[in-house]
Amino acid sequence: MLSSQSMRASLQVAPLSFAKIHDESTGDGSSTSDLDNNPYSQSHMTPPATPNGSQEDLSPQYLAPPAFHNFLRAFYPFNPSYAMSDTSVTLPLNEGDVILVHSIHTNGWADGTLLGSGARGWLPTNYCEAYEPDDMCNLLKALLNFWDLLRSTTVNDREIFGNQEFMKGIIAGVRFLLERTNCLNRESPFIQRNDVLRKCRKSLLSELSSLVKSAKRLQESQRPALSPVEDVNDIVDEMILKAFRIVTKGVRFVDVLDDDRRARAPASVTVMATVLEESYVPPTPPADQATFEDQTPRSVNDTDSQAAASVATSESSESTQTTMAIFNRRLSSLGSPTGPTTHRLSQASLVQAHRLSASISHRVSLAGPSPLSRAHHLVSERLNRTHDTFLSHLGSFIGRLHLQSQSRPELSSAIKQSALSGGELLAVVDGVYEHINSSSIVLAMARATMFERIQDLVFSARDTLANAESEEADVIMPQDNSILLNSATGCVRAAGDCVAKAKVAIERIGDFEFELESSSLGIDLSILDIAPEERARTPSVSEPSSNPSVIEESHRSSSGSSTLAPRRLTLTGVDKPLPEVPQDVTTPTEEQTPQNPSPASSRPSSAHDDNISSMASSISSLRPLLPPLPKLSTSLLPSEEYSPVDNHDNDFASTSRFDSMVASSAGSSATYLSRDSESSILSQSSTRATTPDHTLAPRNQPSMSELSTTDSSTHTEEVDDVESRLMEKTFAHELMFNKEGLVTGGSLQALVERLTTHESTPDAMFVSTFYLTFRLFCTPMRLAEALIERFDYVSESPHMTGPVRLRVYNAFKGWLESHWRDETDRDALGLIMPFSEIKLRSVLPSAGRRLLELAQRVSGEGSLVPRLVSSMGKTNTSIAQYVPADTPLPQPAVSSRQTNLLASFKSGTSSPTILDFEPVELARQLTIKQMNIFCSILPEELLGSQWMKKGGVSAPNVKAMSSLSTDLSNLVAETILQHPEIKKRAAVIKQWIKIAHQCLELHNYDGLMAIICSLNSSTISRLRKTWDAISAKRKEMLRTLQALVEPSQNNKVLRTRLHDHVPPCLPFLGMYLTDLTFVDIGNPATKQMALGNESEDDSSNGITVINFDKHTRTAKIIGELQRFQIPYRLVDIPDMQDWMAAQIKRVREGDQGNVQVSYYRKSLLLEPRETALRIPSEPQPTTSLGALQNASRTDLFAWMSRDRGNPTPTPTPTPTPAQV
Amino acid sequence: MPRHYQYQPSRELHVVVLGAGGVGKSCLTGKLTFPLHKRLFSIFLQKLTWKTAQFVHNEWIESYDPTIEDSYRTQLQVDGRQVVLEILDTAGTEQFVAMRDLYMKTGQGFLLVFSITSASSLSELAGLREEIIRIKDDENIPIVIVGNKADLEENRAVPRAKGFSISQRWGAPYYEASARTRTNVEEVFIDLCRQMLRRDDEQQAQADADDGYNYDSYGIWTTKITCDNKTNDLQQHGRASRSENHDDWTGD
């Protein structure tokens, strides 16, 4: 068992060590220096105000993704095997592969598992994009939970696999997928008309049924002493692989469905003549060029060949299309800054968006010529595209603003471009607006805002230009920059908002075809026009060609062209003075393409440094390290696959270039060059490590292919069976789990479903929590309704109708028998009785009779169970340890004299004092008294801060407990203060210290607390003369006891002691009360649960579920308290109990008004303030509190410091209530 | 900055929250400690692994466990000084009257919380203050009076002027706060910390002076004055300033 556990654990660990490389990459100063040295890159990326250290600030923003995505999908093939030296653990990717991500390293590499093969390793995130389509989200989430649960070593195997609960999520996920896509039914029209889709659906279901079968096998293997544990791990691994396959099939299904939908969209197959221009690469500002060039020092011819190679890729137009759609989706999420708080932030996202869109439009342009490009005409595509363009213009514009010297012509043309592309976007939005019959006010408003912002931008630009002209300078002042920057970021925000609104609208009405007419913004841009000589170079409009072979040329020349009005073309022409080599404009974008989203790409040199260091370490350690991102190989990889020859040359060219760049580290580049030889050996061995099933456990693991063959042979009946299971109504998707597989939230229906699960006996903790707390989240009526509803709808699933109905009956029975609370639950009888009489009786006659009988008894008697304390509603029965009955009862420590004293007390002749009895016996009798009350505390008294409300009427025992505790404290003070003689007082104090000590011996912390509190109180502790008469030994004892009740650090000492304490023990009730109070207020009653895409607005898509976690916590604390509700085995001495009761009664009656104050007065009378005698010569400060605290360690009650630091000379010893 | 600041970069201050049960005082504590906790934790997480987020679906960050040791510890920035605040909030144990003495002993500063919707909750404070002064044996112990549930203006039972008049009499700042809307929660604690730090500094200065240590106490006074200003500013943000309160009071 142990070994297998550790093995599972090892599978869980990422195959690489993170920290080291991380350190190296960040700790290496040279990694950023390259960028720092480049004035362009710096000025481009950061606000001018803080040029130093800006790289550090910037990088996290670059890195920060919108969210952590659990699933990625590759949009580029990635084939590391040849290129990596230490590589090993990098995963080859195929286009469309879906990856389960475990973590993402800052350098952009993700530790993930390929769902297709189950292999785990590192992969470049820049080759992937987040994969979370709405339809799939539940299945993906279920897979996450499944993985967590099955890979978790913290959970007892038997606990999880004992039932089929863990399977429900996957099944519900598949069901959700099919339901959302209207393919739940085999007869669905979608399925009927598309054969591929039908097959996909079938294979999905057969995978599911295969998984269900494995799960059954696993469950059986859990039956005691059937199979060795080793097998369990085999099955678990197999099941995970199968679950992966289910998701893979699901992905395929969704893809096919998308294709189907697209194909069915009424399409006018007009290939736009201007495909090329439409998707032209946005102009790259000079600064960007510089940056790119600096970052990706690559040969120029590289580009061309790669472009050609990519064209080849695009022949599979279908896939490209989907990729493009995906691209756009992500882009829009990246590009619309949800709330950029700083300029820099928004700028960063802008720049990123700009780069992204650059790469995307590039891809589009390559895909463009394909006949299937009609999807480009869908309004959503257009919206995304125009938005991207707009953002990229603005992005480049903002980038320029950060160049200190801004030339007028550049500025004006940039503004114009931005304005025009903004106009384009607005035109699309208008199209949407018209299409929805102008019914969306929000969209109209967003559009208006965006228009205003653009107008602002143009006007502020005009003002700036006008100023510049008057000053006869060709340079825009830096102070104007901030105005422009503000307007530009305003534009970005408004555009993001507008596009989001438009998308909502589109979603509502559905996508439609949309032709973009030439748009005019309605803002006179001629105000921006400047001297004609600036327009020197107007490029010819590139011929709209759909022939891939000419793309290279046209691409280059059309960098300034556009789809739109001719006017636009001239403008953009103006924009491109292009001081640098023309090809360079495309080079960086092109090179950047695969790397753009990756943080690593922004720090190529650091990646390189990683490389060197990890290289060294990978040799020494067998454990493969994080493969660094060798930028050369990665960036070249895509082309490699398609045009190996071309690429080979390029590769060498670029490698040599790389060499020259990092001439200092020749060693590493050598490694690169020799990658073909020894590194391939290395890689082989470590790829095995990636796939843990093969290397770590050389057992009979069916390979993926084997699995698939067995899967395909799955019988049709089984598929049908699974299919029928899918048709069942379930609320399983409305449950939330934590890592340990415990329910943390869910709708009432889902919780009830869990309560009445048929596969196994439900989790005891869950059930007891539910019964204990359900009145906090629903009414008894609602619970009865939900149970009956469950009884009804389970009939849709014939295979489990019987067991579930029995469980419903049991749930009712358990409620009535042991959790019934008459005062609140009585109403529910109105539902339960007819239910048992009619519905239940017709199905399960005897159960019906029994339930009716119970209900009748309950209605008569209130509750069936005599509320016998310690047996009632125990939250955790397994822990309950009873004191063995044969434990010898301790002999009462009462002498005959003491017995006589008690007897005479009974007869009223004498009144013994506390000093007359043995401390041990006093402590015992006290403990019995307290424990009696403690044991009668009912769990419901502790719910919802009952004891605090209405004076605690509904929590009588809690109240009694706290009163007794207070009375005891008062008794301590009273008995001490009643003696005028110091010696007597000291004797009483000594006696109480001994009693407290005996309480500790008995583990009576409640009594201990009460006594110590009183001894420690200011009233008693200030009696310095009395304390002087107490031996050092007793004082030492008291100090030890004090340390136990020290409330600091959340009662750390006491908590530690109580943890795992064995009963009998009487804990301090107050601690539980505080905990319960804070659980109650610190955790909300409900949770938001996303049903659709998580990144979207929760309120529209999610449901509000019960925060069951809060109730579990409450139940846990109550369970902890109940654990101690076990009486002591002590002999009750009735006479002494009576005497004690009388003492307490006396104290209680004696204290009218504020006891604390009257005791304090008494204390002052006994030992007047010493300090009052002292003449305050100067305004002295009060005691240093720190000193006071320190002093108290050595000096029990800090008299010394008090004497010195008595603050104000208050001559009257009485407190001053008059002040109030 | 006075020199000894450098030696105590981050001080630990003990605050005790007191008030009648049901005034929502623990909500204040919860609001201060919980979100900070959460924030700190997520920052910690991010720093460590940059959102490695090992499949933790934000679950554990979202639930509040009051049973762990540092549930009531939090860090605050007060006038540029980092303090560690240990808050003793015995919510739920108000009925254990005798325990109060023990709790109060540990405190260096006190938050007296009442609910503006309950006049009796305010009158309970007087007794608590008496007790604090008695137990700490110190008339000038840092105290801040908080009228909680300020969001329930329509149920107000304690006029603002009343709060301020008590504030004047007691010489303790008065805030109206709302744990629900998170109004003034941090401010209340910061004000209290400021008072505690100031006292600490003064005592330190006094101790130094007693030691015959020759140094310039001027810095401390300057600090004190700026503190005062800030306090006033803060109070103005805290819905009402002292001058306003004075007007109201005389208007009564």
Side-chain angles (χ1 to χ4, degrees):
Chain A
M1 190 70 200
L2 196 74
S3 65
S4 70
Q5 286 272 336
S6 66
M7 193 170 62
R8 288 256 299 278
S10 71
L11 294 189
Q12 224 178 351
V13 177
L16 311 160
S17 116
F18 250 144
K20 186 160 187 193
I21 292 196
H22 185 71
D23 279 354
E24 278 155 0
S25 68
T26 51
D28 196 324
S30 71
S31 64
T32 47
S33 61
D34 288 353
L35 292 176
D36 278 338
N37 291 340
N38 185 330
Y40 271 109
S41 67
Q42 207 167 49
S43 57
H44 153 67
M45 292 200 287
T46 60
T50 53
N52 290 329
S54 55
Q55 285 300 337
E56 269 171 277
D57 280 1
L58 195 73
S59 44
Q61 280 149 13
Y62 257 79
L63 301 183
F68 179 83
H69 297 288
N70 285 313
F71 290 91
L72 295 179
R73 187 168 200 190
F75 58 76
Y76 259 114
F78 172 64
N79 192 358
S81 58
Y82 81 99
M84 303 288 182
S85 42
D86 58 330
T87 71
S88 43
V89 268
T90 35
L91 287 179
L93 298 179
N94 290 320
E95 210 167 316
D97 278 351
V98 177
I99 301 118
L100 169 66
V101 184
H102 308 296
S103 65
I104 299 177
H105 191 255
T106 28
N107 68 8
W109 284 83
D111 167 20
T113 302
L114 212 55
L115 296 191
S117 64
R120 181 163 176 178
W122 293 98
L123 46 104
T125 49
N126 49 324
Y127 278 61
C128 312
E129 44 98 36
Y131 185 70
E132 43 196 17
D134 276 5
D135 296 337
M136 286 287 290
C137 72
N138 269 19
L139 183 56
L140 294 177
K141 238 190 278 174
L143 180 67
L144 276 186
N145 282 328
F146 192 75
W147 167 274
D148 283 355
L149 200 64
L150 263 55
R151 278 291 177 242
S152 164
T153 47
T154 56
V155 193
N156 184 348
D157 283 352
R158 193 147 299 168
E159 263 170 37
I160 340 170
F161 306 132
N163 61 53
Q164 296 278 306
E165 278 308 311
F166 62 99
M167 284 296 303
K168 283 206 170 147
I170 297 271
I171 296 173
V174 173
R175 183 189 148 94
F176 183 81
L177 167 65
L178 294 180
E179 206 172 19
R180 283 277 292 241
T181 52
N182 290 322
C183 298
L184 191 56
N185 229 307
R186 207 180 317 176
E187 282 76 39
S188 149
F190 284 104
I191 304 293
Q192 291 292 312
R193 71 174 179 225
N194 189 331
D195 202 43
V196 188
L197 199 61
R198 193 177 56 76
K199 278 180 185 150
C200 278
R201 180 176 175 276
K202 191 164 176 196
S203 73
L204 174 66
L205 290 178
S206 87
E207 290 294 346
L208 186 62
S209 95
S210 150
L211 177 65
V212 169
K213 243 172 46 183
S214 307
K216 289 235 170 75
R217 209 142 51 82
L218 183 65
Q219 193 180 359
E220 273 150 28
S221 77
Q222 285 298 309
R223 303 264 147 74
L226 245 176
S227 54
V229 190
E230 193 67 22
D231 287 5
V232 173
N233 285 311
D234 281 349
I235 301 172
V236 166
D237 290 345
E238 187 189 313
M239 280 173 63
I240 287 175
L241 283 178
K242 281 182 177 165
F244 284 171
R245 285 184 65 89
I246 289 175
V247 174
T248 317
K249 297 280 184 202
V251 171
R252 171 96 182 108
F253 178 77
V254 170
D255 288 350
V256 172
L257 195 71
D258 280 352
D259 289 347
D260 181 64
R261 276 180 190 158
R262 233 194 314 276
R264 257 154 229 287
S268 58
V269 197
T270 39
V271 180
M272 268 190 99
T274 51
V275 188
L276 240 177
E277 291 90 337
E278 174 195 304
S279 48
Y280 82 113
V281 179
T284 317
D288 278 359
Q289 287 164 28
T291 318
F292 283 148
E293 196 172 45
D294 182 59
Q295 286 177 356
T296 58
R298 251 170 240 120
S299 63
V300 173
N301 46 347
D302 217 336
T303 317
D304 294 343
S305 64
Q306 206 168 33
S310 311
V311 170
T313 338
S314 68
E315 270 163 21
S316 61
S317 54
E318 186 188 297
S319 60
T320 322
Q321 223 173 48
T322 36
T323 325
M324 197 190 63
I326 290 158
F327 248 115
N328 282 330
R329 204 164 46 235
R330 178 169 53 172
L331 234 200
S332 56
S333 74
L334 264 170
S336 54
T338 41
T341 43
T342 63
H343 280 324
R344 190 188 296 180
L345 196 71
S346 65
Q347 180 208 345
S349 68
L350 259 178
V351 174
Q352 201 170 16
H354 161 66
R355 289 176 166 200
L356 254 185
S357 62
S359 67
I360 273 130
S361 3
H362 189 70
R363 264 186 88 75
V364 168
S365 79
L366 295 171
S370 92
L372 278 174
S373 59
R374 63 178 181 276
H376 293 204
H377 299 252
L378 287 178
V379 73
S380 58
E381 299 294 324
R382 230 174 240 289
L383 187 67
N384 283 336
R385 210 137 21 81
T386 48
H387 186 209
D388 296 344
T389 317
F390 182 50
L391 286 182
S392 66
H393 283 298
L394 283 173
S396 71
F397 170 65
I398 290 175
R400 259 165 228 234
L401 282 182
H402 288 294
L403 285 172
Q404 292 287 333
S405 57
Q406 177 85 275
S407 80
R408 275 193 303 137
E410 276 174 16
L411 175 70
S412 84
S413 65
I415 294 280
K416 266 184 206 167
Q417 267 189 321
S418 305
L420 281 171
S421 54
E424 231 176 289
L425 177 57
L426 281 178
V428 179
V429 171
D430 284 345
V432 174
Y433 189 62
E434 276 158 30
H435 209 83
I436 58 171
N437 300 324
S438 316
S439 60
S440 170
I441 301 163
V442 271
L443 180 59
M445 274 165 62
R447 189 218 178 264
T449 319
M450 186 181 147
F451 181 76
E452 264 171 45
R453 294 281 166 278
I454 296 176
Q455 213 165 14
D456 280 356
L457 180 65
V458 171
F459 286 154
S460 55
R462 185 195 55 193
D463 293 348
T464 310
L465 287 171
N467 277 342
E469 230 146 18
S470 66
E471 285 162 38
E472 296 206 326
D474 212 26
V475 167
I476 308 302
M477 290 298 114
Q479 64 263 28
D480 292 325
N481 278 356
S482 65
I483 301 168
L484 289 170
L485 197 61
N486 276 336
S487 333
T489 43
C491 281
V492 173
R493 218 168 289 147
D497 188 43
C498 193
V499 168
K501 297 285 181 338
K503 276 187 182 159
V504 170
I506 293 173
E507 249 167 53
R508 218 175 40 222
I509 56 166
D511 227 338
F512 56 92
E513 290 281 310
F514 180 71
E515 284 297 329
L516 186 62
E517 299 96 37
S518 69
S519 59
S520 88
L521 185 58
I523 300 173
D524 184 14
L525 293 175
S526 62
I527 52 169
L528 293 170
D529 284 346
I530 33 171
E533 66 262 28
E534 310 269 2
R535 314 189 178 201
R537 210 176 60 116
T538 307
S540 60
V541 182
S542 65
E543 63 267 66
S545 162
S546 57
N547 181 357
S549 63
V550 292
I551 277 184
E552 278 167 45
E553 284 95 337
S554 61
H555 189 68
R556 203 177 305 151
S557 60
S558 70
S559 54
S561 61
S562 93
T563 2
L564 301 176
R567 184 177 163 210
R568 165 87 195 276
L569 284 174
T570 56
L571 282 171
T572 47
V574 169
D575 181 48
K576 284 288 143 194
L578 292 186
E580 282 86 18
V581 200
Q583 280 102 328
D584 268 357
V585 183
T586 51
T587 310
T589 11
E590 182 123 358
E591 288 295 329
Q592 212 61 23
T593 306
Q595 288 194 344
N596 266 331
S598 158
S601 66
S602 63
R603 301 194 320 201
S605 49
S606 81
H608 165 71
D609 284 336
D610 271 358
N611 228 339
I612 305 165
S613 44
S614 67
M615 204 73 75
S617 51
S618 67
I619 295 163
S620 57
S621 77
L622 266 177
R623 191 123 202 228
L625 289 167
L626 171 67
L629 184 56
K631 60 186 167 135
L632 281 176
S633 37
T634 38
S635 57
L636 288 169
L637 276 169
S639 46
E640 155 82 10
E641 192 163 310
Y642 298 98
S643 53
V645 185
D646 252 5
N647 186 54
H648 208 59
D649 293 339
N650 289 326
D651 203 1
F652 273 113
S654 49
T655 313
S656 58
R657 176 123 176 210
F658 181 66
D659 263 345
S660 62
M661 221 200 116
V662 289
S664 58
S665 55
S668 76
S669 23
T671 327
Y672 273 124
L673 287 168
S674 64
R675 60 173 184 254
D676 282 327
S677 49
E678 77 262 24
S679 58
S680 55
I681 304 161
L682 236 170
S683 77
Q684 263 193 344
S685 59
S686 34
T687 319
R688 291 177 62 85
T690 324
T691 338
D693 300 321
H694 302 301
T695 25
L696 297 178
R699 47 200 148 94
N700 265 354
Q701 181 60 45
S703 75
M704 217 51 215
S705 52
E706 280 172 301
L707 268 182
S708 61
T709 44
T710 50
D711 291 341
S712 56
S713 68
T714 314
H715 299 301
T716 346
E717 311 94 72
E718 275 159 1
V719 178
D720 285 349
D721 179 48
V722 168
E723 218 173 319
S724 73
R725 274 190 80 164
L726 284 180
M727 303 302 290
E728 294 158 8
K729 183 176 175 181
T730 177
F731 290 94
H733 57 278
E734 291 180 359
L735 270 187
M736 288 164 101
F737 297 90
N738 65 5
K739 271 205 305 185
E740 283 79 42
L742 296 174
V743 178
T744 57
S747 63
L748 180 63
Q749 286 88 348
L751 292 174
V752 163
E753 200 173 293
R754 178 91 179 168
L755 188 72
T756 57
T757 179
H758 69 286
E759 278 119 343
S760 65
T761 43
D763 171 31
M765 183 69 194
F766 174 81
V767 174
S768 57
T769 303
F770 189 91
Y771 276 130
L772 181 58
T773 60
F774 77 87
R775 294 173 193 87
L776 296 175
F777 54 79
C778 74
T779 62
M781 284 291 268
R782 275 296 294 133
L783 175 61
E785 275 167 27
L787 278 167
I788 294 168
E789 192 188 329
R790 171 75 169 147
F791 188 86
D792 290 343
Y793 76 72
V794 77
S795 62
E796 291 170 29
S797 345
H799 72 278
M800 60 178 196
T801 310
V804 167
R805 287 189 163 167
L806 210 57
R807 289 255 184 249
V808 172
Y809 158 69
N810 279 325
F812 271 123
K813 190 164 148 261
W815 181 13
L816 286 166
E817 274 181 346
S818 42
H819 299 275
W820 191 259
R821 287 178 60 193
D822 195 48
E823 57 277 28
T824 51
D825 299 355
R826 186 165 276 273
D827 288 351
L829 284 176
L831 281 175
I832 298 172
M833 283 167 125
F835 165 76
S836 46
E837 219 170 351
I838 301 154
K839 277 189 183 160
L840 185 60
R841 201 169 201 162
S842 65
V843 187
L844 303 161
S846 63
R849 260 198 311 280
R850 171 87 184 119
L851 194 61
L852 186 62
E853 200 184 298
L854 274 173
Q856 278 160 350
R857 273 177 59 195
V858 158
S859 73
E861 298 162 27
S863 59
L864 296 177
V865 198
R867 304 232 114 198
L868 254 191
V869 187
S870 45
S871 66
M872 228 294 302
K874 274 271 156 66
T875 318
N876 207 336
T877 44
S878 61
I879 302 174
Q881 288 158 298
Y882 291 88
V883 186
D886 54 353
T887 311
L889 285 168
Q891 190 62 41
V894 189
S895 66
S896 54
R897 190 185 70 86
Q898 287 160 342
T899 320
N900 290 338
L901 268 176
L902 284 172
S904 58
F905 161 74
K906 285 292 265 189
S907 58
T909 49
S910 81
S911 106
T913 71
I914 197 96
L915 294 170
D916 292 324
F917 301 103
E918 295 298 324
V920 59
E921 197 51 44
L922 284 169
R924 280 179 190 156
Q925 297 307 316
L926 193 64
T927 304
I928 291 172
K929 201 173 182 61
Q930 287 180 301
M931 198 55 161
N932 279 342
I933 304 176
F934 184 74
C935 282
S936 44
I937 293 173
L938 294 172
E940 53 259 36
E941 293 185 45
L942 301 166
L943 296 175
S945 303
Q946 282 298 333
W947 70 94
M948 303 273 291
K949 288 170 187 159
K950 298 179 205 139
V953 239
S954 43
N957 297 307
V958 173
K959 206 175 163 174
M961 194 78 192
S962 61
S963 307
L964 180 59
S965 175
T966 305
D967 291 339
L968 180 57
S969 292
N970 289 342
L971 181 67
V972 173
E974 203 264 353
T975 49
I976 296 167
L977 295 170
Q978 68 180 344
H979 298 288
E981 310 90 345
I982 288 172
K983 275 210 167 145
K984 278 225 168 135
R985 286 204 296 272
V988 177
I989 289 179
K990 261 193 283 190
Q991 180 78 348
W992 279 115
I993 294 176
K994 284 183 195 161
I995 296 171
H997 180 72
Q998 288 302 326
C999 282
L1000 175 64
E1001 298 283 298
L1002 286 165
H1003 307 302
N1004 175 359
Y1005 294 98
D1006 207 83
L1008 176 69
M1009 190 87 175
I1011 297 168
I1012 297 297
C1013 273
S1014 195
L1015 291 177
N1016 206 11
S1017 71
S1018 49
T1019 306
I1020 303 301
S1021 65
R1022 64 172 294 286
L1023 301 170
R1024 187 178 174 180
K1025 286 177 189 146
T1026 312
W1027 285 100
D1028 280 344
I1030 291 167
S1031 70
K1033 192 181 137 212
R1034 288 281 163 259
K1035 280 189 202 164
E1036 184 55 42
M1037 188 186 262
L1038 178 61
R1039 231 188 314 272
T1040 326
L1041 298 174
Q1042 266 173 357
L1044 289 179
V1045 295
E1046 170 65 42
S1048 77
Q1049 297 187 19
N1050 201 8
N1051 283 311
K1052 187 185 178 187
V1053 189
L1054 194 56
R1055 271 179 210 279
T1056 318
R1057 279 186 89 92
L1058 286 176
H1059 184 70
D1060 288 340
H1061 204 300
V1062 181
C1065 167
L1066 183 54
F1068 173 52
L1069 178 65
M1071 204 177 74
Y1072 295 111
L1073 297 182
T1074 306
D1075 288 352
L1076 286 166
T1077 307
F1078 275 100
V1079 165
D1080 194 28
I1081 62 151
N1083 295 294
T1086 54
K1087 276 184 179 180
Q1088 210 55 37
M1089 183 177 179
L1091 274 186
N1093 197 335
E1094 271 174 289
S1095 60
E1096 306 230 321
D1097 183 16
D1098 268 356
S1099 54
S1100 60
N1101 232 340
I1103 51 166
T1104 305
V1105 296
I1106 296 153
N1107 183 359
F1108 200 73
D1109 178 59
K1110 171 181 183 160
H1111 303 300
T1112 311
R1113 283 184 190 282
T1114 307
K1116 227 178 190 165
I1117 295 169
I1118 294 177
E1120 185 67 14
L1121 183 147
Q1122 287 179 319
R1123 194 160 74 84
F1124 296 115
Q1125 286 188 320
I1126 295 163
Y1128 282 89
R1129 275 185 62 81
L1130 293 170
V1131 182
D1132 187 292
I1133 303 172
D1135 285 354
M1136 197 183 272
Q1137 288 288 341
D1138 289 347
W1139 172 78
M1140 263 163 72
Q1143 296 293 310
I1144 284 167
K1145 192 168 167 239
R1146 179 171 56 84
V1147 170
R1148 194 176 288 176
E1149 279 166 359
D1151 63 25
Q1152 301 306 330
N1154 193 338
V1155 236
Q1156 311 296 331
V1157 172
S1158 61
Y1159 287 149
Y1160 193 71
R1161 282 186 191 155
K1162 229 173 179 176
S1163 165
L1164 284 170
L1165 284 173
L1166 292 169
E1167 292 188 31
R1169 270 175 203 274
E1170 297 161 37
T1171 47
L1173 307 171
R1174 211 174 129 167
I1175 297 143
S1177 54
E1178 63 207 78
Q1180 271 205 338
T1182 49
T1183 323
S1184 160
L1185 292 160
L1188 202 153
Q1189 283 204 324
N1190 288 335
S1192 64
R1193 305 230 150 74
T1194 48
D1195 168 24
L1196 191 56
F1197 295 118
W1199 290 298
M1200 278 156 51
S1201 43
R1202 178 169 307 183
D1203 282 352
R1204 193 184 66 134
N1206 197 3
T1208 35
T1210 34
T1212 43
T1214 46
T1216 51
Q1219 274 187 335
V1220 187
Chain B
M1 275 265 152
R3 65 193 165 82
H4 57 264
Y5 285 4
Q6 295 153 15
Y7 303 125
Q8 290 159 315
S10 149
R11 280 188 221 194
E12 196 171 313
L13 298 175
H14 293 258
V15 169
V16 178
V17 182
L18 293 164
V23 298
K25 68 188 162 71
S26 34
C27 297
L28 288 176
T29 312
K31 279 279 159 16
L32 185 77
T33 51
F34 177 41
L36 256 158
H37 220 69
K38 211 165 135 181
R39 227 181 305 152
L40 286 176
F41 201 82
S42 50
I43 289 168
F44 172 72
L45 241 187
Q46 279 188 353
K47 267 194 187 155
L48 246 186
T49 56
W50 184 66
K51 274 218 152 175
T52 296
Q54 311 260 1
F55 295 123
V56 184
H57 316 292
N58 285 336
E59 203 64 70
W60 47 322
I61 303 178
E62 266 169 26
S63 65
Y64 181 56
D65 184 359
T67 63
I68 51 174
E69 188 182 319
D70 55 353
S71 308
Y72 305 102
R73 283 168 80 85
T74 186
Q75 288 200 6
L76 269 188
Q77 190 86 13
V78 182
D79 303 333
R81 295 159 77 176
Q82 196 71 22
V83 296
V84 176
L85 213 56
E86 162 126 20
I87 303 170
L88 183 64
D89 187 335
T90 55
T93 60
E94 284 78 9
Q95 292 161 4
F96 291 80
V97 185
M99 306 281 163
R100 276 210 303 257
D101 205 310
L102 180 78
Y103 300 144
M104 284 179 181
K105 265 198 157 158
T106 64
Q108 293 163 279
F110 295 84
L111 221 55
L112 296 183
V113 187
F114 70 97
S115 160
I116 65 156
T117 63
S118 147
S120 67
S121 72
L122 175 61
S123 49
E124 273 194 49
L125 294 191
L128 288 172
R129 178 172 172 271
E130 292 296 317
E131 213 172 327
I132 293 167
I133 289 172
R134 194 188 74 223
I135 286 162
K136 299 306 287 186
D137 204 0
D138 181 352
E139 291 266 12
N140 302 315
I141 188 87
I143 288 177
V144 169
I145 307 161
V146 183
N148 194 24
K149 303 195 182 173
D151 51 303
L152 300 174
E153 189 61 46
E154 66 279 7
N155 297 330
R156 181 187 277 279
V158 177
R160 196 165 295 173
K162 173 106 171 153
F164 281 115
S165 74
I166 286 180
S167 153
Q168 280 229 321
R169 251 181 291 153
W170 293 358
Y174 171 57
Y175 285 86
E176 296 207 339
S178 163
R180 201 169 64 82
T181 61
R182 236 190 119 66
T183 313
N184 268 346
V185 174
E186 246 167 68
E187 286 81 350
V188 160
F189 283 95
I190 286 176
D191 191 319
L192 189 57
C193 287
R194 195 173 282 131
Q195 287 190 53
M196 290 191 282
L197 286 172
R198 204 189 311 160
R199 275 175 63 93
D200 234 16
D201 291 346
E202 282 165 19
Q203 280 153 13
Q204 193 78 36
Q206 193 64 48
D208 288 349
D210 286 351
D211 292 345
Y213 208 89
N214 189 15
Y215 88 104
D216 174 27
S217 68
Y218 195 73
I220 291 202
W221 284 108
T222 332
T223 329
K224 190 181 174 181
I225 288 159
T226 50
C227 280
D228 273 339
N229 287 340
K230 275 186 188 154
T231 317
N232 285 340
D233 283 354
L234 248 159
Q235 254 154 297
Q236 251 140 25
H237 289 303
R239 297 203 169 193
S241 68
R242 294 223 187 175
S243 64
E244 181 200 328
N245 113 54
H246 194 70
D247 292 346
D248 282 353
W249 191 42
T250 47
D252 263 358

